Amino acid sequence: PKGFTYAKLSVTGQIMGDGMFTPGRFDGMGAFPGPGGRIILVRNHEVGPNHPEVAYERGKAPKGAYNPMAAGGTTTLLLSADGMTLERDFMSLAGTDRNCAGGTTPWG
């Protein structure tokens, strides 16, 4: 609609700040207040066992992954206060399959 604007913040397969690839299958997400008025966006990825667009090769998960054979999880994006500029992105949860929905909880 008139006056609507958007910014492409990340794309499946691009390298994030932590060296991982941005996984595909973007799903639910939640936005939280960040430092200095920035926005923290935690994004879920509905990655299943046979999905090719993953952050890392199955079996080569980062240290601390819930299940090293699973290649799903969440990514976190630190955005400018206006939400139009990506300042940082990284894998924030690794080693899950088919995270469903996502988002914030009523209790914060």
Side-chain angles (χ1 to χ4, degrees):
K2 187 176 180 179
F4 180 82
T5 60
Y6 73 94
K8 189 185 293 187
L9 300 170
S10 70
V11 177
T12 298
Q14 81 181 33
I15 297 176
M16 296 185 288
D18 60 1
M20 302 270 184
F21 293 99
T22 301
R25 314 261 326 208
F26 297 70
D27 197 19
M29 58 188 79
F32 305 91
R38 292 178 182 91
I39 301 164
I40 299 170
L41 184 67
V42 180
R43 183 176 56 192
N44 179 52
H45 298 272
E46 187 75 21
V47 174
N50 299 315
H51 195 269
E53 297 166 334
V54 295
Y56 51 86
E57 189 177 329
R58 283 178 173 76
K60 296 184 180 181
K63 184 178 179 182
Y66 179 73
N67 175 355
M69 295 308 292
T74 63
T75 53
T76 296
L77 290 71
L78 179 63
L79 308 175
S80 59
D82 66 1
M84 300 296 277
T85 304
L86 175 66
E87 295 185 4
R88 184 172 170 230
D89 57 352
F90 56 93
M91 192 88 187
S92 49
L93 171 69
T96 61
D97 272 342
R98 293 195 176 123
N99 297 342
C100 191
T104 60
T105 62
W107 52 88

